[in-house]
Amino acid sequence: APERCKRLLDEMSLLASSTKNKDLTPDTVTYTTVIDAFARRGRAKEAEEVLRKMLSSEGIEPNANSFNSVMNAWSKSTADDAPERCKRLLDEMSLLASSTKNKDLTPDTVTYTTVIDAFARRGRAKEAEEVLRKMLSSEGIEPNANSFNSVMNAWSKSEADDAPERC
């Protein structure tokens, strides 16, 4: 299914270009649907490739869902560097939101919680808590129970001497 979605996206882009029909130009929803098709199947690399193509396409801006889908796929992947990838995407998203003044790109509770989860799934409680602390100090973003639960779960599995006090 993701390949079909990607093929349709490519067809749509070619048709829009060859016919000069602006109604056929892929938009944020189009790209995010293809990203989500890959992400739901755990294919983080391909999901991020579509996001990168989206970012390089003129006149098309991703939104929080575009980034969140990619981060979620990385978080749930088996990649050792998934937390760093998620953190990098969070930073990129924040920078884009402030430089473009696009409020739809502002990291939200889901964004931060997904990054927390990426660290927590790999037993990296300290980094998970650092992201939670950053979230708590960010204006307009409020953690939810999942945000805290992910950090507590990471500490509960941690080998650190002070883990019980942290949880």
Side-chain angles (χ1 to χ4, degrees), residues 88-164:
R88 188 189 75 238
L89 286 163
L90 168 63
D91 294 342
E92 186 176 348
M93 192 177 169
S94 298
L95 187 65
L96 267 173
S98 66
S99 68
T100 63
K101 306 283 189 257
N102 181 350
K103 298 229 183 282
D104 291 340
L105 267 170
T106 304
D108 58 17
T109 302
V110 172
T111 311
Y112 277 92
T113 303
T114 302
V115 178
I116 290 167
D117 185 63
F119 283 111
R121 283 175 183 265
R122 286 152 186 87
R124 296 169 61 181
K126 185 174 185 276
E127 290 106 319
E129 186 169 343
E130 285 170 3
V131 176
L132 176 65
R133 298 281 168 220
K134 182 177 179 187
M135 184 182 192
L136 287 165
S137 67
S138 296
E139 195 175 317
I141 301 167
E142 297 204 9
N144 60 22
N146 288 339
S147 311
F148 283 92
N149 290 343
S150 288
V151 173
M152 287 187 273
N153 189 39
W155 279 117
S156 74
K157 294 175 182 172
S158 175
E159 302 279 325
D161 292 338
D162 63 344

Side-chain angles (χ1 to χ4, degrees), residues 6-40:
K6 175 74 169 68
R7 194 169 50 246
L8 287 167
L9 169 66
D10 293 340
E11 273 181 52
M12 193 176 173
S13 296
L14 281 172
L15 225 81
S17 171
S18 66
T19 64
K20 307 286 188 236
N21 184 345
K22 291 186 191 286
D23 291 338
L24 288 172
T25 304
D27 59 12
T28 303
V29 173
T30 312
Y31 274 95
T32 302
T33 300
V34 178
I35 289 168
D36 195 53
F38 282 112
R40 285 179 184 271

